[in-house]
């Protein structure tokens, strides 16, 4: 992709299209790595068991090993954020929170409080269950999205769902794992059944198995350069017909009623307009449509094609990007409370500007 002939000749930080990168050459094949690790595993039985090796059992590093370690640590450090360079990296989810409420953006992005970035995994494990024993919204969404990404009809869907649930159980501190596993599968299963019974899945399946022309791409990652930010994100499904017409599908696992879908779809309109812009400018697709699939109520919502205006969306990204760079302190962020939106906000429990619905009318807490 980068068209680099000799990665080992690159400096520590390589600038590609204005984006600072660290390029790490690939190492030895996996088989060689396993053979090289065998003496260590024989010497330290704690390793395969996942237990820490006592410090006193480790040999002293030679000067050469110490230099190698320092190089590894230096390369593993994140790049410092230089706001003056005009390349502030930002996920689409963060940009959406800024558009909804700058104060939510400040809490999540500047302070790093409770927000979840759908593009990058959390730096610490997320507890998969709520206090009531149900799957957390984050874990439920992760399982459903991974299922929709990986399932292609080549195996029993129940088997894949159970494997995905098992992977989430690995990070949980649960006394009765089997009971929790069964409850998690039962909770996610209706959403998966809605997807597999839909005409959308039948269309995807027919393309994947060559029964009709076109292509289906899942979890399509992108980086879009604006004046102030590098916008990054991931499109759930991109379906492209053989004539180049494209549809963007975004799965939503919100627990909403059918009559609530329209209001919620309006909140996600900017996200879909951004994805449509990316499909045109980054992937070179001309005719693009966008669709939200709310799996819990089993409702598909197609956005008005007239709203997917490329120039307007690009202007909004630029303006929001400039706002994102400016917001560094609490006083820089203006709250935009809304009774329904505040209740869905992850900052609801501590935000002093939150609004609580009261018999159909909003009141300040």
């Amino acid at each position: 992709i980068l068209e680099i002939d000799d990665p080992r000749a690159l400096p520590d930080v390589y600038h590609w299209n204005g984006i600072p990168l660290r390029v790490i050459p690939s190492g030895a094949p996996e088989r060689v790595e396993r053979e090289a690790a065998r003496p260590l595993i024989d010497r330290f039985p704690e390793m395969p068991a996942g237990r820490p090796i006592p410090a006193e059992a480790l040999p002293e590093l030679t000067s050469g090993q110490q230099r190698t370690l320092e190089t590894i640590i230096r390369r593993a450090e994140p790049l410092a954020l230089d706001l003056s360079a005009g390349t502030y990296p930002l996920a689409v989810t963060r940009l959406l929170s800024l558009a909804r409420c700058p104060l939510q953006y400040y809490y999540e992005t500047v302070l790093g409080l409770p927000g979840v970035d759908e593009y990058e995994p959390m730096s610490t494990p997320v507890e998969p269950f709520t206090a009531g024993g149900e799957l957390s919204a984050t874990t439920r969404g992760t399982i459903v999205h991974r299922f929709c990404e990986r399932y292609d009809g080549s195996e029993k869907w129940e088997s894949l769902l159970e494997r995905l649930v098992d992977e989430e159980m690995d990070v949980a501190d649960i006394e009765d794992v089997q009971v929790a596993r069964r409850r998690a599968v039962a909770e996610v299963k209706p959403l998966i059944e809605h997807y597999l019974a839909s005409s959308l899945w039948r269309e995807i399946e027919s393309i994947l198995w060559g029964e009709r022309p076109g292509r289906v791409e899942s979890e399509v990652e992108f980086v879009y350069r604006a004046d102030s930010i590098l916008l990054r994100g991931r499109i759930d499904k991109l379906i492209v017909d053989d004539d180049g017409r494209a549809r963007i599908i975004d799965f939503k696992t919100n627990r909403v009623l059918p009559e609530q879908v329209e209001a919620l779809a309006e909140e996600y309109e900017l996200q879909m307009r951004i994805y449509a812009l990316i499909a045109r400018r980054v992937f070179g697709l001309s005719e693009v449509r966008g669709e939200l699939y709310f799996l819990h109520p089993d409702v598909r919502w197609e956005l008005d094609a007239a709203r997917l205006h490329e120039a307007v969306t690009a202007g909004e990204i630029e303006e929001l990007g400039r706002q994102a760079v400016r917001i560094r302190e609490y006083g820089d962020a203006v709250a935009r409370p809304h009774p329904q939106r505040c209740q869905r906000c992850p900052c609801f429990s501590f935000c002093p500007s939150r609004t609580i619905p009261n018999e159909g009318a909003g009141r300040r807490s």
Side-chain angles (χ1 to χ4, degrees):
I1 295 174
L2 305 181
E3 298 181 350
I4 295 172
D5 295 327
D6 185 6
R8 291 170 177 79
L10 293 176
D12 282 351
V13 179
Y14 171 70
H15 289 268
W16 176 78
N17 286 350
I19 303 173
L21 302 174
R22 285 198 177 102
V23 180
I24 310 299
S26 59
E30 183 180 354
R31 180 180 56 82
V32 178
E33 291 178 356
R34 286 200 304 269
E35 293 175 358
R38 177 53 54 190
L40 288 174
I41 293 174
D42 292 341
R43 182 174 179 181
F44 302 112
E46 298 91 348
M47 289 183 66
R51 298 193 304 273
I53 300 171
E56 60 272 13
L58 296 173
E60 294 291 329
L61 295 178
T62 65
S63 58
Q65 290 170 336
Q66 184 65 42
R67 287 194 299 272
T68 300
L69 177 61
E70 291 170 357
T71 300
I72 293 172
I73 293 174
R74 187 179 72 253
R75 287 186 176 275
E77 290 175 348
L79 297 175
L81 178 61
D82 182 7
L83 295 178
S84 64
T87 56
Y88 182 28
L90 197 66
V92 169
T93 46
R94 303 305 192 196
L95 199 71
L96 297 177
S97 71
L98 175 60
R100 285 191 298 266
C101 176
L103 188 55
Q104 178 189 351
Y105 169 85
Y106 171 75
Y107 288 141
E108 292 182 335
T109 307
V110 180
L111 297 187
L113 286 174
V116 177
D117 184 336
E118 69 180 18
Y119 180 74
E120 290 184 340
M122 297 290 284
S123 58
T124 56
V126 177
E127 179 58 44
F129 292 98
T130 66
E134 297 179 329
L135 282 176
S136 67
T138 300
T139 303
R140 182 174 65 249
T142 298
I143 293 172
V144 171
H145 277 79
R146 291 181 64 197
F147 180 94
C148 294
E149 173 194 4
R150 294 171 57 178
Y151 186 68
D152 61 3
S154 61
E155 65 173 316
K156 291 184 176 181
W157 64 266
E158 294 91 346
S159 300
L160 174 58
L161 176 58
E162 289 172 358
R163 288 203 307 274
L164 294 175
V165 169
D166 284 343
E167 291 173 10
E168 294 301 318
M169 297 300 101
D170 286 343
V171 300
D173 183 14
I174 307 170
E175 291 185 8
D176 196 332
V177 176
Q178 293 304 317
V179 171
R181 179 175 176 270
R182 286 195 297 269
R183 291 183 63 179
V185 169
E187 188 175 338
V188 176
K189 186 176 179 181
L191 280 68
I192 302 301
E193 290 176 331
H194 287 161
Y195 171 58
L196 296 179
S198 68
S199 59
L200 172 64
W201 163 246
R202 290 194 294 273
E203 178 185 355
I204 291 173
E205 184 181 32
S206 65
I207 295 175
L208 292 177
W209 288 88
E211 297 173 4
R212 58 179 292 180
R215 72 177 192 270
V216 178
E217 299 182 30
S218 300
E219 301 295 315
V220 183
E221 298 182 7
F222 64 83
V223 175
Y224 173 76
R225 185 182 182 87
D227 285 345
S228 303
I229 58 173
L230 288 173
L231 189 64
R232 53 186 172 81
R234 178 184 288 134
I235 298 172
D236 290 346
K237 290 282 184 189
L238 181 62
I239 303 175
V240 184
D241 296 336
D242 59 338
D243 58 2
R245 291 181 299 176
R247 251 188 318 145
I248 293 164
I249 311 295
D250 195 77
F251 297 106
K252 299 301 182 185
T253 57
N254 313 56
R255 283 184 168 171
V256 295
L257 299 173
E259 57 268 25
Q260 297 173 315
V261 165
E262 182 175 1
L264 196 55
E266 291 179 0
E267 293 186 25
Y268 292 120
E269 182 186 288
L270 176 59
Q271 177 187 10
M272 300 304 289
R273 289 197 284 117
I274 290 173
Y275 288 171
L277 173 74
I278 297 303
R280 292 188 179 109
R281 293 194 175 183
V282 177
F283 304 134
L285 301 168
S286 56
E287 186 176 337
V288 182
R289 291 182 294 152
E291 179 182 308
L292 296 162
Y293 189 179
F294 293 87
L295 289 160
H296 193 271
D298 194 20
V299 175
R300 295 167 62 183
W301 183 273
E302 184 170 349
L303 277 80
D304 183 356
R307 299 286 298 166
L308 303 178
H309 196 286
E310 185 175 344
V312 172
T313 303
E316 287 187 56
I317 293 174
E318 298 290 356
E319 175 55 32
L320 288 169
R322 288 189 287 270
Q323 291 182 36
V325 173
R326 288 196 300 265
I327 296 177
R328 302 263 62 88
E329 298 180 0
Y330 180 84
D332 300 329
V334 178
R336 292 178 187 156
H338 183 278
Q340 282 71 43
R341 196 166 58 234
C342 282
Q343 282 198 310
R344 294 192 294 268
C345 179
C347 309
F348 177 81
S349 63
F350 58 82
C351 179
S353 299
R354 67 183 181 180
T355 298
I356 303 173
N358 180 24
E359 297 181 354
R363 64 177 177 83
R364 296 291 287 273
S365 63

